[in-house]
Amino acid sequence: MTLVKELDLGTPLRKSSTMVSLTIDGTKVTVPKGTSIMAAARQHGSQIPKLCATDSVEAFGSCRLCLIEIEGRRGTPASCTTLAEEGLVVHTQSPRLASLRKGVMELYISDHPLDCLTCSANGDCELQDMAGAVGLRDVRYGYDGEKHRTEAKDESNPYFTFDSSKCIVCSRCVRACEEVQGTFALTILGRGLASKVATGTADFLSSECVSCGACVQACPTATLNEKTVIEQGTPTGVTNTTCAYCGVGCGFRAETQGDKVVRMVPWKDGKANEGHSCVKGRFAWGYATHKDRITKPMIRAKITDPWREVSWEEAIAYAASEFKRLQATYGRDAVGGITSSRCTNEETFLVQKLVRAGFGNNNVDTCARVCHSPTGYGLGKTFGTSAGTQDFKSVAQADVILLIGANPTDAHPVFASRMKKRLREGAKLIVADPRKIELVRSAHVQASHHLALRPGANVALINALAHVVVTEGLVKEDYVRERCDLDAFEAWARFIADERNSPESMELSTGVPAADVRAAARLYASANNAAIYYGLGVTEHSQGSTMVMGMANLAMATGNIGRDGVGVNPLRGQNNVQGSCDMGSFPHEYSGYRHVSDDATREMFEHMWGVALSKEPGLRIPNMLDEAVGGGFKGLYVQGEDIAQSDPDTQHVVHGLEAMECVVVHDLFLNETAKYAHVFFPGSSFLEKDGTFTNAERRISRVRKVMPPLAGYADWEATIKFAEALGYPMPYSHPSEIMDEIARLTPTFSGVSYEKLDQVGSLQWPCNANAPEGTPVMHVDRFVRGKGKFMLTEFIPTEERTGPRFPLLLTTGRILSQYNVGAQTARTPNNAWHNEDVLEVHPFDAENRGIKTGDRVLLQSRSGETSLRAVVSERMQPGVVYTTFHHARTGANVVTTDYSDWATNCPEYKVTAVQVSRTVGITEWQQEELKRDEFLRRIEREPAHVGH
Ligand code: SF4
Ligand code: SF4
Ligand code: SF4
Ligand code: FES
């Protein structure tokens, strides 16, 4: 047995306020009602042998190895399926049990290849462990080498193999796929000795399997095994850390040999994921040691010069002297910085501190600008705090789920598995999305309503839903009277009841039949617990902030805020987008969302940081670029964000960057933005540093260093060096000291420290004297702002309109296997599932244009054009096309416009008027890009790989 494995209780841990006491092997044990005898025994140190049971899935009772004796009862029941009861006297060891178990193991082993010494699971195999545990020394029937399972190994999945010769048909994998992941990709075919695990297709890769790894995790033998373990051997060390991909923030155990990662295993005690994972966090970590990593600092005087590798000292001194020169020549406000939602809280905090205290202005912004800034604004106005209201496990109490502009099975897969579980239990689902996303209809899940609205009509839809609630007497009046600002409610109720907001009036804008809207509104409003979950399909619009307030209004009017099972919950895109906002990355706010013009707050920061701070909000990213084009903004420090690829209207971004005199890019790879950079600081991946991430639940989790930074410095260390060179020393020796400063300066973080995080695993802010253990559900007795405030949400159609030249609407999203602009995932075998962005087109629009699946099409908008391959898909509605933005060579943002949210400037990525036509080859723009971009061509020629 490997040293690093977590304890397996055999059956899921139960939580109940009712406890039962029983005696197991002479020891009295007390456990929550509903706990199996197996789990009760294991919790108290008594290991009953088992094979078909594991604590990630419900007990199945098939292997008959876990037999026990109960005084006063006949027979030998299975301890995995027998519940602990008050007063039971249980014996787990006796000569009879030993003999029965030995017989069971003998049958298993007689049908199993005896190649333990060379097996990849040697030392990490439950079958081997159990043979030892029952004292099996001889097999009467003998293994004669004639395996009845002779199929070839299935090695189609890039990350794990399936070797059926080792399968004991315990069905743990099948049950994990169903119960934990909710994909139902596996089944057991046949009976008795002929039974076997099957995918329903030729192999794993071509099946429904989404490569979440739950089956691999559940498998007790080497049948399902990680390829890295097969290649590298069994891990010998472990470090708990947090996934660096999406905003679910799954806890992982990085299992290692020395400082080399062997596998990432989802952490059972990770409160965001409770032992589950998706293909990205579980398997796609090879980018961290990919050969494309830049590990030497580089500088160049002009962006047309070749890069020159230099020492850290020289790079930092050069960048600092340039920034000083720019400020001396063009003024203090001529430079700024961008923080990263991929970096840690501590690193983000340091970059904004560097800008405010080191540069002496507030020109700091973050990539959250282009995703969830409307969430901060909208929830701040209505509830008083800029974050989601629930913890993830709250969804298990929801009776109706309203999912708007989010596609969790692709973008937030581990949360999607929780949601699907609740839906299988009977909760109802309303999907509001232009596209037929997977949750509209998939294995054992079917939405009650799919409101397939037109892109850009979110506010029209939310107003129509609220109109039904108000005019049909569905408002929870007691709740509103007690919890909300009544004047604001009455003004809102008059506004929303107006006929112009009725589903019938809004039908022209939304494209959703009024009757469907009315039925969905009634379903949501009449639920005991109704919860809203939403994504970038809400925020990345010209009315993103209005829509967030519209959802908050609906939730307050129906009393759905302040307890488990309800709430308004943003599904955050990047791992630390919540944290980067919390840490004061916006130009107008310090950490904890306090305005820079607030004298008391500013004085506190001035006192702590020992410098005078500006009370004028600084420039947002789009304004920095505008100013650069205008000649007034000259220097930018960009940490961990590729604005040339991820921000809208690429040409404008490029013009802005080209106009600057010193761009410092701090990243893992030479990204698109680095083409316009003068200094490159090599970055560090999440495996190379200590810190914290904050997920979409406001959960602060530790990131722990697994290996030394490949470039010598972690990102926080490089920022400190840069600050020192600029003449503003920031003397921290460990990220824990940065967190201590954050806690001193930020009321919602005042109870957070590394020590506390190490004790409890993770904490949801606010965490302070009022809530020392954090706050899973917000606004329980009162809203953070006091009374909840209804806001008027007039629907104003976007200025981006279709017309004869651009008759279709383009909307964008993500796919499961890739992440954002592909910097990480495109350098992993995840390309096996998605190696290019495609354009989904409805059959009607495709036929009109003579387009077939696989054709290369030209996608044109008022801003630009690009080309990609088409997929004709019924998932689209007529008039709407869809693509992802994961691959640089597609350049999807070349076509997006510079329209943005009225309140926050969040770009309107989700609505672009376009034309699509058949074409051959690639556009001039792409040819130019490919010519210039040696590195992209290399990726195309040489598939990325795990490891180095
Ligand atoms: S593949 Fe593994 S988990 Fe699945 S039935 Fe076979 S031994 Fe059990
Ligand atoms: S990897 Fe996940 S989706 Fe694929 S078969 Fe295993 S459990 Fe099912
Ligand atoms: S769901 Fe998100 S946080 Fe969890 S493993 Fe996948 S990418 Fe990582
Ligand atoms: S572990 Fe209980 S029957 Fe298999």
Side-chain angles (χ1 to χ4, degrees):
M1 177 76 81
T2 160
L3 292 173
V4 301
K5 205 148 182 166
E6 281 186 281
L7 174 69
D8 182 351
L9 291 175
T11 60
L13 191 59
R14 302 294 176 203
K15 289 197 177 120
S16 166
S17 50
T18 312
M19 305 297 281
V20 292
S21 295
L22 65 165
T23 304
I24 301 178
D25 295 336
T27 304
K28 188 173 171 194
V29 301
T30 302
V31 292
K33 195 170 177 200
T35 303
S36 70
I37 289 178
M38 175 182 282
R42 286 187 165 235
Q43 259 177 299
H44 291 83
S46 191
Q47 301 269 326
I48 302 175
K50 68 177 185 65
L51 274 177
C52 69
T54 184
D55 56 15
S56 60
V57 293
E58 295 299 328
F60 194 51
S62 68
C63 75
R64 307 295 297 163
L65 192 64
C66 67
L67 309 177
I68 46 166
E69 290 167 341
I70 300 175
E71 286 185 15
R73 292 198 186 173
R74 289 217 311 254
T76 51
S79 62
C80 62
T81 49
T82 307
L83 299 186
E85 285 175 35
E86 187 65 38
L88 288 187
V89 178
V90 177
H91 300 284
T92 70
Q93 310 295 336
S94 74
R96 177 168 71 138
L97 291 174
S99 161
L100 286 170
R101 287 173 187 157
K102 218 180 252 188
V104 169
M105 277 311 296
E106 204 175 357
L107 285 174
Y108 275 113
I109 295 296
S110 67
D111 189 37
H112 197 82
L114 297 178
D115 58 356
C116 288
L117 281 183
T118 52
C119 177
S120 57
N122 189 16
D124 188 16
C125 169
E126 287 186 42
L127 190 68
Q128 197 178 54
D129 293 344
M130 291 307 116
V134 304
L136 190 69
R137 297 286 170 261
D138 194 19
V139 179
R140 275 171 295 166
Y141 316 111
Y143 178 71
D144 60 8
E146 284 189 23
K147 292 175 283 179
H148 65 266
R149 290 185 200 92
T150 52
E151 296 91 352
K153 264 192 203 175
D154 178 351
E155 304 200 87
S156 61
N157 184 290
Y159 297 112
F160 59 84
T161 58
F162 174 71
D163 178 358
S164 65
S165 72
K166 307 232 159 140
C167 182
I168 58 170
V169 201
C170 64
S171 145
R172 277 162 62 160
C173 54
V174 178
R175 289 177 285 140
C177 191
E178 293 176 4
E179 294 175 31
V180 181
Q181 166 57 26
T183 290
F184 296 79
L186 301 177
T187 189
I188 304 276
L189 288 181
R191 289 169 156 261
L193 272 183
S195 60
K196 60 175 187 178
V197 172
T199 59
T201 52
D203 56 28
F204 269 79
L205 191 61
S206 59
S207 74
E208 298 286 301
C209 168
V210 293
S211 200
C212 70
C215 57
V216 182
Q217 189 65 10
C219 183
T221 66
T223 314
L224 285 160
N225 209 351
E226 294 93 345
K227 288 183 175 173
T228 48
V229 173
I230 295 171
E231 284 157 19
Q232 293 169 233
T234 314
T236 52
V238 63
T239 307
N240 281 7
T241 190
T242 303
C243 178
Y245 280 117
C246 85
V248 177
C250 297
F252 273 91
R253 292 158 58 82
E255 295 189 355
T256 50
Q257 287 169 345
D259 55 22
K260 192 171 181 185
V261 177
V262 178
R263 66 179 165 193
M264 298 288 283
V265 177
W267 184 29
K268 288 181 193 171
D269 282 340
K271 296 193 179 70
N273 56 321
E274 293 176 329
H276 191 33
S277 59
C278 83
V279 62
K280 294 190 283 288
R282 177 76 155 93
F283 297 117
W285 39 268
Y287 72 88
T289 49
H290 194 279
K291 61 187 182 330
D292 286 344
R293 276 284 299 272
I294 306 292
T295 55
K296 295 273 191 304
M298 301 187 295
I299 61 175
R300 58 184 174 182
K302 295 199 296 294
I303 61 171
T304 47
D305 290 346
W307 283 110
R308 187 162 65 83
E309 282 185 5
V310 294
S311 65
W312 270 107
E313 289 68 29
E314 186 175 346
I316 283 165
Y318 179 74
S321 70
E322 279 295 278
F323 270 56
K324 283 184 192 162
R325 176 182 71 78
L326 294 175
Q327 288 193 295
T329 313
Y330 301 102
R332 197 183 56 181
D333 296 336
V335 300
I338 297 178
T339 72
S340 173
S341 295
R342 298 209 304 262
C343 288
T344 63
N345 285 319
E346 294 74 3
E347 287 165 341
T348 307
F349 185 83
L350 281 195
V351 172
Q352 63 90 36
K353 179 174 176 177
L354 169 71
V355 172
R356 299 187 203 281
F359 297 174
N361 62 45
N362 287 317
N363 292 338
V364 63
D365 207 356
T366 180
C367 35
R369 165 76 50 218
V370 299
C371 64
H372 265 290
S373 49
T375 288
Y377 182 90
L379 297 184
K381 286 279 176 208
T382 47
F383 300 159
T385 196
S386 300
T389 59
Q390 312 296 121
D391 57 359
F392 287 142
K393 72 175 196 279
S394 158
V395 76
Q397 312 294 320
D399 301 307
V400 170
I401 296 166
L402 173 54
L403 183 67
I404 310 180
N407 185 9
T409 50
D410 276 283
H412 302 89
V414 167
F415 176 70
S417 293
R418 280 186 194 266
M419 189 184 268
K420 286 194 285 187
K421 186 169 188 191
R422 182 60 186 153
L423 294 170
R424 291 197 303 274
E425 287 167 357
K428 301 277 186 256
L429 175 67
I430 303 163
V431 174
D433 200 292
R435 193 160 154 264
K436 210 177 281 166
I437 60 168
E438 188 185 328
L439 283 171
V440 171
R441 192 186 177 94
S442 58
H444 300 261
V445 168
Q446 176 152 16
S448 302
H449 301 280
H450 176 208
L451 309 177
L453 74 172
R454 301 272 298 160
N458 283 338
V459 173
L461 180 69
I462 204 78
N463 284 356
L465 290 164
H467 176 92
V468 178
V469 170
V470 169
T471 57
E472 295 192 7
L474 298 170
V475 170
K476 292 271 184 327
E477 290 181 2
D478 291 350
Y479 181 92
V480 171
R481 205 170 295 118
E482 188 190 333
R483 300 286 310 271
C484 303
D485 177 328
L486 279 186
D487 292 340
F489 168 73
E490 278 162 16
W492 173 77
R494 276 194 302 278
F495 155 77
I496 211 77
D498 190 281
E499 184 52 30
R500 72 182 189 280
N501 285 317
S502 72
E504 290 73 18
S505 303
M506 287 298 189
E507 197 173 303
L508 202 60
S509 302
T510 60
V512 183
D516 289 356
V517 176
R518 287 194 177 272
R522 290 171 196 142
L523 180 64
Y524 173 83
S526 56
N528 283 336
N529 289 332
I532 296 176
Y533 291 89
Y534 70 95
L536 302 179
V538 157
T539 52
E540 290 177 343
H541 286 273
S542 60
Q543 281 203 292
S545 293
T546 315
M547 179 61 183
V548 173
M549 294 189 289
M551 296 183 302
N553 291 340
L554 184 67
M556 287 190 289
T558 52
N560 279 310
I561 297 289
R563 61 182 186 279
D564 273 331
V566 299
V568 178
N569 300 288
L571 294 172
R572 302 278 188 164
Q574 303 204 70
N575 54 321
N576 200 33
V577 75
Q578 179 70 54
S580 71
C581 298
D582 300 341
M583 291 298 102
S585 293
F586 289 127
H588 63 292
E589 283 171 342
Y590 294 119
S591 59
Y593 305 96
R594 290 155 303 156
H595 204 277
V596 292
S597 65
D598 179 70
D599 290 339
T601 306
R602 199 175 60 258
E603 279 161 20
M604 183 170 63
F605 277 81
E606 286 177 335
H607 180 71
M608 181 74 82
W609 292 352
V611 287
L613 297 171
S614 168
K615 65 177 178 187
E616 296 300 325
L619 297 172
R620 298 169 173 183
I621 295 171
N623 308 123
M624 292 182 204
L625 295 165
D626 292 345
E627 288 286 315
V629 171
F633 189 86
K634 294 291 183 181
L636 185 64
Y637 172 39
V638 193
Q639 186 176 76
E641 192 190 353
D642 190 1
I643 57 171
Q645 198 185 340
S646 63
D647 282 36
D649 198 353
T650 309
Q651 287 94 330
H652 181 61
V653 178
V654 166
H655 290 150
L657 289 168
E658 282 175 338
M660 295 182 205
E661 293 182 19
C662 185
V663 174
V664 179
V665 166
H666 191 173
D667 216 302
L668 301 179
F669 303 104
L670 264 184
N671 57 21
E672 294 293 296
T673 309
K675 286 180 185 167
Y676 309 97
H678 307 82
V679 181
F680 189 89
F681 291 167
S684 53
S685 74
F686 77 114
L687 294 170
E688 296 155 59
K689 57 195 173 193
D690 280 295
T692 54
F693 292 151
T694 306
N695 75 354
E697 312 164 280
R698 297 168 277 105
R699 184 181 300 287
I700 307 155
S701 302
R702 279 283 274 118
V703 175
R704 292 186 180 83
K705 189 164 149 184
V706 175
M707 60 193 205
L710 297 190
Y713 288 140
D715 297 342
W716 62 274
E717 293 171 299
T719 304
I720 288 173
K721 298 275 174 204
F722 188 27
E724 266 169 20
L726 282 164
Y728 183 73
M730 298 201 287
Y732 308 97
S733 61
H734 190 268
S736 62
E737 295 165 15
I738 307 171
M739 179 52 83
D740 291 343
E741 182 173 314
I742 294 166
R744 281 198 292 277
L745 286 167
T746 316
T748 44
F749 275 65
S750 64
V752 181
S753 67
Y754 279 27
E755 198 184 355
K756 178 95 184 173
L757 287 168
D758 289 345
Q759 276 166 17
V760 299
S762 60
L763 287 163
Q764 285 173 270
W765 67 256
C767 174
N768 47 31
N770 295 333
E773 302 307 313
T775 310
V777 176
M778 294 201 76
H779 318 295
V780 172
D781 299 316
R782 63 188 286 280
F783 285 94
V784 168
R785 70 179 300 285
K787 297 281 186 187
K789 183 152 191 204
F790 285 82
M791 302 292 290
L792 300 190
T793 54
E794 190 72 60
F795 170 55
I796 300 168
T798 169
E799 288 176 32
E800 178 71 355
R801 306 276 163 84
T802 52
R805 277 182 63 215
F806 302 107
L808 304 172
L809 284 178
L810 168 73
T811 190
T812 58
R814 290 187 188 185
I815 201 148
L816 171 68
S817 55
Q818 297 289 350
Y819 177 72
N820 279 11
V821 296
Q824 294 137 291
T825 46
R827 289 186 173 87
T828 71
N830 275 25
N831 287 341
W833 289 278
H834 181 90
N835 63 4
E836 64 176 306
D837 296 313
V838 295
L839 188 76
E840 289 186 28
V841 188
H842 186 270
F844 176 81
D845 297 318
E847 193 183 339
N848 274 347
R849 291 164 176 77
I851 294 169
K852 297 187 300 302
T853 290
D855 286 349
R856 185 159 280 280
V857 295
L858 184 66
L859 177 68
Q860 295 170 295
S861 76
R862 294 181 181 95
S863 296
E865 63 183 39
T866 187
S867 87
L868 62 178
R869 288 195 307 142
V871 170
V872 179
S873 166
E874 296 272 2
R875 302 208 311 178
M876 303 312 302
Q877 54 176 280
V880 180
V881 293
Y882 168 90
T883 190
T884 49
F885 49 88
H886 298 308
H887 295 279
R889 62 181 175 273
T890 312
N893 282 333
V894 172
V895 298
T896 50
T897 67
D898 58 2
Y899 290 124
S900 62
D901 175 44
W902 61 272
T904 64
N905 272 153
C906 182
E908 191 172 45
Y909 284 134
K910 301 295 181 189
V911 193
T912 307
V914 294
Q915 178 58 292
V916 177
S917 49
R918 270 193 73 198
T919 181
V920 281
I922 55 177
T923 65
E924 269 177 37
W925 173 83
Q926 285 171 314
Q927 282 170 10
E928 190 61 25
E929 287 296 294
L930 286 174
K931 251 187 272 158
R932 286 175 63 172
D933 200 335
E934 196 45 50
F935 131 80
L936 265 184
R937 278 185 283 160
R938 204 165 70 231
I939 292 181
E940 287 190 329
R941 280 201 308 270
E942 300 165 20
H945 62 109
V946 175
H948 300 280

